[in-house]
Amino acid sequence: MKVLMTAISLFAATSVIISGGTAAAQTGMDGSYIGAGIAAGATSGGQGNDDALFGGNVQARYAIPQTPISARGAVLFGGDATAIMPMLTIDSAIADNTNLYFGAGYSWITNEGNNTPLGNRNAAVITLGAESEISERLIVYGDAKWGINAYENSSADAVSFQTGVGYRF
């Protein structure tokens, strides 16, 4: 129940932010990109072999034309496994060439039971982030990912923070 109420609250807050960005008529960032950077796990499942990890990320965005929706993919690595995540997000312009995004997906762990920056078992994921074009093809991005019940032998959730630089195409 706690997870459901938190997800509803996040959805409501994001809806307000998105409607505010739309009303301001900002141009936002269009296009698709692929990037790489760092990933930092911020949580532990409490079982001794699932401490927070520092690692890397590869992320991509495919902007679906004529919609505020993007298909995204992320790979978080570090430790003895990798988390692979397909996601859908709602994108909202918050400034020229800058978007805020909110969405959900699923995290598959390549070797369940082994730690990644986002837990050690397959889990539903919610993400909130921002991206901005800083030159004609150069993007910076940062986000937080919340893996729901993402640790084996624990009901703990996982949180990871990512940042990186991407190439827009």
Side-chain angles (χ1 to χ4, degrees), residues 98-146:
T98 303
N99 291 338
L100 181 69
Y101 58 89
F102 173 75
Y106 198 80
S107 172
W108 279 278
I109 306 300
T110 58
N111 192 4
E112 269 196 300
N114 289 303
N115 214 8
T116 73
L118 193 65
N120 63 6
R121 96 172 185 197
N122 299 343
V125 174
I126 295 174
T127 188
L128 175 64
E131 58 201 1
S132 185
E133 183 175 24
I134 58 173
S135 70
E136 187 172 330
R137 298 268 181 223
L138 194 61
I139 306 298
V140 293
Y141 63 87
D143 65 24
K145 290 182 175 40
W146 171 30

Side-chain angles (χ1 to χ4, degrees), residues 17-18 20-22 24-30 91-100 130-133:
I17 291 168
I18 288 172
T22 303
Q26 299 292 336
T27 58
M29 188 190 86
D30 61 354
D91 309 329
S92 177
I94 57 172
D96 287 341
N97 297 317
T98 303
N99 291 338
L100 181 69
E131 58 201 1
S132 185
E133 183 175 24

